[in-house]
Amino acid sequence: MKIIVPLIFLFVSVGLWAQDCEYVLNDDITKSTPEFKIYDNSTPLETKKIYFSLYQENGVPFLIFKYSKNSKSFLPAICINQGARLSFQLVNGTIVSLLKAGPETCSYSEETEDKFQNNQTVGSLFYLAPDDIKNLQGSKINLIGFRTTSDNESFVISSISDQNQPRNYFIDNLHCIE
């Protein structure tokens, strides 16, 4: 009886932990979490949005990064090559920089239903090393830095009042791909 109670607690805990994860199963060796809007900033002249998804292939974890920029003025193409970095300043002061994985990707234009005529969207994979995962699970996101060969941008991540808490993204979701 003394062994049964801890085992039941273990199975219930593991079951509840796993229920927090939603997956898009692509095949037997890959899985990803649904896309999550981590940043959304609109001004009268432009909007910028960042989406994250976690991806695992053959046990190797990645962050899928998608950046969308809409503007009333012309937007040049955005390319993410091997020199690109995605950095996070965490609330505890730690800075985590992720390396680009895979071939160069460049932005494409998407149809929009808003007032902006010009838009560019680009997506890429960034490798999550074990130390990166440990650091990202240990503290909330304060700032995202996105550096390409032609551009540097910083995005302040704020807490919002509803259930979507962008600052907690990694704390809440990294366990889904471990």
Side-chain angles (χ1 to χ4, degrees):
M1 182 68 172
K2 290 181 182 180
I3 295 174
I4 294 174
V5 172
L7 285 176
I8 290 172
F9 178 74
L10 176 68
F11 289 126
V12 169
S13 297
V14 169
L16 290 175
W17 184 267
Q19 288 176 354
D20 292 338
C21 299
E22 291 181 44
Y23 295 108
V24 178
L25 296 174
N26 303 323
D27 52 41
D28 290 340
I29 58 171
T30 64
K31 64 181 175 182
S32 62
T33 59
E35 194 172 77
F36 179 87
K37 188 186 324 179
I38 195 101
Y39 180 83
D40 188 350
N41 185 20
S42 295
T43 68
L45 299 177
E46 70 180 8
T47 62
K48 296 177 182 180
K49 297 178 184 178
I50 296 175
Y51 299 90
F52 285 172
S53 179
L54 296 170
Y55 175 78
Q56 183 191 75
E57 183 171 355
N58 287 327
V60 179
F62 298 94
L63 173 69
I64 299 173
F65 169 80
K66 180 178 165 187
Y67 176 54
S68 179
K69 188 174 184 178
N70 302 315
S71 178
K72 288 186 175 184
S73 60
F74 174 76
L75 291 173
I78 304 164
C79 291
I80 304 174
N81 64 14
Q82 292 299 333
R85 295 287 182 268
L86 187 60
S87 299
F88 301 94
Q89 180 183 5
L90 305 180
V91 172
N92 68 6
T94 303
I95 295 177
V96 176
S97 291
L98 304 182
L99 300 175
K100 162 112 176 62
E104 178 178 68
T105 55
C106 291
S107 59
Y108 55 91
S109 187
E110 284 186 318
E111 289 287 324
T112 62
E113 297 179 10
D114 56 23
K115 61 186 177 241
F116 302 110
Q117 299 88 7
N118 301 298
N119 61 74
Q120 293 291 320
T121 300
V122 64
S124 191
L125 287 175
F126 287 85
Y127 174 66
L128 288 163
D131 287 344
D132 298 334
I133 291 172
K134 181 180 175 184
N135 286 324
L136 292 168
Q137 284 177 323
S139 184
K140 296 178 181 183
I141 304 168
N142 194 38
L143 183 75
I144 296 174
F146 175 50
R147 185 185 79 188
T148 65
T149 53
S150 62
D151 200 11
N152 286 320
E153 294 213 47
S154 295
F155 308 94
V156 176
I157 306 302
S158 60
S159 292
I160 51 181
S161 59
D162 68 6
Q163 298 290 9
N164 286 343
Q165 288 296 328
R167 297 180 82 185
N168 295 343
Y169 179 77
F170 292 112
I171 294 169
D172 294 342
N173 294 290
L174 273 170
H175 70 274
C176 294
I177 60 165
E178 289 187 301

